[in-house]
Amino acid sequence: MEHESRIRWFAREVLPHEGDVRRWLSARIRGLAMCDLDEVVQETYARLWAVNTDGINDARAYLFVIARRVVGETVRRSRIVPIETVADIDALHVADAGPTPERRLSGREEVERLHAAIAALPAKCRQAFVMKKFESLSQREISERMNISESTVEKHLAKALRTIMREMRKTPALPARSTGIDERRQRQR
């Protein structure tokens, strides 16, 4: 695409959505100290400018996806991530025009892994995590319901989050092929 036609495309297809993307981002990155709204928008524009726009059917959706990715990368680069950030990151998801069957299957597998990771947590950690993330209770409310101090709730939540994140980073184990050699090694141990 020529420079002049690229500028016209950008002005026609992207810039009219700046207000929408700013409102959408500002509602979702509150509390994310490492995310400056103007910087996120600028980086989003820079990345969109750098890609080949010929294959983009829905510039608005593409703009939102890039903005979500910029925020996600910023959060991942930061060293300290508050527990509330996880909820904000989840809220940044924008549905694509149509997920492929592979993406749906992958998503289902990820959800199953998440459920397994939550189920494997120690009872108190799991209880606090479920109350926080699925019932949207404050630490004070969790403290009162569990009859423990708020600092203990915070420790349970931090441990739960660390454990779940560690489990989710692991790649799913492939089933081992059964061979006579493997079985003999197992018996020798």
Side-chain angles (χ1 to χ4, degrees):
M1 190 181 279
E2 291 179 49
H3 186 70
E4 292 296 326
S5 61
R6 186 177 197 79
I7 290 172
R8 284 192 298 278
W9 178 86
F10 205 85
R12 182 183 66 247
E13 300 292 330
V14 176
L15 291 179
H17 304 294
E18 180 175 345
D20 292 339
V21 81
R22 281 182 176 276
R23 280 187 294 279
W24 181 78
L25 281 169
S26 65
R28 283 158 181 81
I29 65 173
R30 70 188 184 291
L32 298 178
M34 75 291 293
C35 289
D36 178 85
L37 182 62
D38 293 329
E39 288 179 13
V40 170
V41 171
Q42 280 304 116
E43 180 63 22
T44 301
Y45 283 165
R47 290 183 186 189
L48 186 55
W49 185 264
V51 299
N52 181 359
T53 59
D54 294 339
I56 298 176
N57 295 328
D58 186 351
R60 184 179 192 279
Y62 204 83
L63 176 70
F64 278 76
V65 168
I66 292 175
R68 182 190 72 209
R69 288 182 179 159
V70 169
V71 171
E73 289 172 15
T74 303
V75 169
R76 280 189 293 279
R77 280 193 305 261
S78 70
R79 293 174 56 99
I80 301 172
V81 180
I83 190 96
E84 289 77 20
T85 300
V86 174
D88 291 339
I89 291 171
D90 292 341
L92 288 173
H93 185 278
V94 175
D96 292 340
T100 63
E102 293 83 12
R103 287 182 71 190
R104 281 194 293 266
L105 177 61
S106 175
R108 273 190 233 116
E109 289 172 350
E110 287 295 305
V111 168
E112 289 172 7
R113 289 179 58 218
L114 176 61
H115 283 291
I118 292 171
L121 290 172
K124 297 267 186 188
C125 286
R126 182 178 55 247
Q127 184 181 5
F129 185 80
V130 167
M131 286 181 185
K132 179 71 174 176
K133 293 300 168 192
F134 298 109
E135 297 176 27
S136 300
L137 298 179
S138 69
Q139 285 186 201
R140 177 172 285 149
E141 292 169 320
I142 296 169
S143 166
E144 291 168 1
R145 284 194 184 181
M146 292 180 69
N147 199 26
I148 57 177
S149 70
E150 283 187 56
S151 66
T152 304
V153 170
E154 191 173 324
K155 289 175 186 170
H156 284 316
L157 292 173
K159 180 178 181 180
L161 186 59
R162 275 192 316 271
T163 303
I164 290 170
M165 289 176 72
R166 184 176 52 244
E167 289 301 313
M168 294 305 290
R169 275 193 291 264
K170 291 180 183 176
T171 55
L174 298 173
R177 289 183 6 195
S178 178
T179 64
I181 296 170
D182 291 336
E183 290 170 3
R184 276 181 268 149
R185 285 183 184 155
Q186 289 294 329
R187 278 182 265 154
Q188 288 174 353
R189 290 183 186 165

